[in-house]
Amino acid sequence: MAFGLNVTGPLCGRSSCVSQSSRGQLKKVGIRRSSGRVRWTCTDFRKPGLWTAWASYVYVAFFSQAPPGDNVFNAKGALVQAMNLSLNFWFITPSFLPQFAPLVDPGVEAIFNFTVIYGFGLILGFLSDGGDKQKPKIAPFVVGSAFLTNVFYLLYLSLRKQNTTPPTSEEMGTLLFRASESKLLPLLMLGVAGISLWWFAFGRGGDNFGDVHQRWATLIQILSTDRLAWTFLVDSAIFALFQGALVPDDMARRKFSDPRVKNVATFVPFFGIIFYFLVRPKFDEVQS
C-alpha cells in the first residue's frame, strides 16, 4: 500500500516524500492516517529536542567549565555585573544620571540590551499563544525571559501545547494583550537595537573606551573571558534559531496564510520577527 508522508512543523520547515509500506499497523508515534495519507507533524516529536536544547543551554551557560569564564559556582562578581547592567538598562541611567550609573563596557551593555529586548519582545509578541487552553500560561514567561532569557523562553517552548484557538474578547481586553498586539512593540525592538549599536560605537565617549576599532577589540577580549557576556551572545543566537517556533500557530489563530511572510519570520534573525509583527493582521481585523 502506498502512502504519502508529510513532515511539517514550526521548526522543521516543510518537506514531503512518498514511501511504500507493507500491511500492518503503523506504530510510530506521531503518524496519523487520513484519507489514505499518513501525516506526521513535527509537533509530535519535537518536544524531546526542545527539552534537550533547554537542558543543554542551562548546563552550558551555568554549570559547564567549557565556555569562557567560570561557571555559576566559581564566578566572582557575576551577580554584581548583572546588577550593574540592570541598573543601566536601556541606557537610561548612564544617559540621564551618569553620576549614578555603574561603569560598564559599552559593548557589553549593547549586547545585554539587545538580548533582553530580543527575548522580551519575542515572547510578548506571541502572548495570544497562552490562551485559556494553554498550560502553562505565557505571561510569567514574558517576565522571566527579561531576566533569565532562554531559561524561560526554551522552557516555555518545551512545556506549551499546540494552540490555534483565537483569544477570547476578555483576553484581548487586557493591557498586556494590547501591548502584545501593538505595532509599537516591533518598533520598540528595532529602536532599542539601533540605540544598542550606536551605544557600542559612541556611548560613554568621555570614559576613554576609544574608537570603534578599540571597542571591538575590547569586546572580543571580554567575550573570550567573561561567562556572562558570552552567554548574552549565545542567547541571541538561540533566539534567532527558535524565533519562528510560535509563528505557525499564531498565523493559524489569525487565519493568516502567507508562506513568504512565514519564511521571513522564521529564517531572518531578529528583523524577520519584527517584520512579522508589523504585517500580521490584528485579531479584531480578523473577526470583523
Side-chain angles (χ1 to χ4, degrees):
M1 177 185 67
F3 66 87
L5 178 63
N6 287 339
V7 183
T8 63
L11 297 180
C12 294
R14 181 177 295 272
S15 62
S16 61
C17 64
V18 178
S19 304
Q20 297 291 329
S21 173
S22 59
R23 292 183 178 180
Q25 295 182 348
L26 291 168
K27 297 182 180 180
K28 292 184 179 180
V29 176
I31 296 183
R32 301 170 185 173
R33 186 188 301 273
S34 176
S35 302
R37 296 180 64 81
V38 176
R39 184 175 180 82
W40 189 349
T41 59
C42 182
T43 53
D44 295 317
F45 59 82
R46 68 174 182 158
K47 289 295 184 181
L50 286 169
W51 278 112
T52 300
W54 177 80
S56 299
Y57 169 79
V58 171
Y59 172 73
V60 172
F62 296 102
F63 303 106
S64 174
Q65 283 291 78
D70 294 320
N71 63 24
V72 69
F73 297 111
N74 300 314
K76 297 179 180 179
L79 180 59
V80 174
Q81 184 183 8
M83 292 179 62
N84 288 342
L85 287 166
S86 299
L87 288 173
N88 293 346
F89 183 57
W90 284 4
F91 317 107
I92 295 174
T93 307
S95 297
F96 299 101
L97 296 170
Q99 66 273 24
F100 299 109
L103 186 62
V104 182
D105 180 83
V108 175
E109 288 179 312
I111 294 178
F112 167 75
N113 281 277
F114 173 77
T115 301
V116 170
I117 194 61
Y118 196 173
F120 177 74
L122 186 59
I123 196 166
L124 176 61
F126 293 109
L127 192 71
S128 63
D129 190 71
D132 287 338
K133 296 183 179 181
Q134 188 68 268
K135 292 181 181 181
K137 299 301 181 183
I138 195 173
F141 292 86
V142 174
V143 179
S145 66
F147 292 94
L148 289 175
T149 54
N150 280 294
V151 171
F152 282 89
Y153 181 61
L154 287 179
L155 181 60
Y156 179 74
L157 295 184
S158 302
L159 291 171
R160 69 175 291 271
K161 296 181 179 179
Q162 186 177 15
N163 179 21
T164 58
T165 303
T168 63
S169 299
E170 182 180 358
E171 291 170 341
M172 290 190 291
T174 65
L175 180 62
L176 191 61
F177 191 93
R178 290 197 294 269
S180 170
E181 291 293 297
S182 173
K183 302 302 181 184
L184 292 177
L185 175 61
L187 295 179
L188 176 64
M189 295 173 67
L190 190 62
V192 172
I195 294 173
S196 297
L197 183 62
W198 181 92
W199 190 263
F200 162 69
F202 306 108
R204 297 188 178 277
D207 292 317
N208 299 319
F209 283 103
D211 59 16
V212 174
H213 297 289
Q214 291 174 300
R215 290 168 181 243
W216 177 256
T218 300
L219 180 60
I220 295 299
Q221 190 274 330
I222 291 174
L223 290 173
S224 65
T225 57
D226 187 283
R227 174 68 61 94
L228 188 62
W230 177 86
T231 302
F232 295 148
L233 199 63
V234 172
D235 279 326
S236 294
I238 293 176
F239 287 144
L241 183 63
F242 289 94
Q243 73 174 21
L246 299 176
V247 170
D249 281 7
D250 191 69
M251 296 183 75
R253 287 191 294 272
R254 299 169 195 273
K255 298 179 175 61
F256 178 40
S257 178
D258 191 323
R260 291 173 298 180
V261 171
K262 179 182 177 182
N263 288 335
V264 170
T266 302
F267 299 115
V268 179
F270 188 69
F271 297 102
I273 208 67
I274 288 177
F275 172 75
Y276 176 72
F277 288 159
L278 286 171
V279 302
R280 67 182 181 180
K282 293 186 176 181
F283 284 105
D284 54 359
E285 297 173 356
V286 174
Q287 292 177 350
S288 62

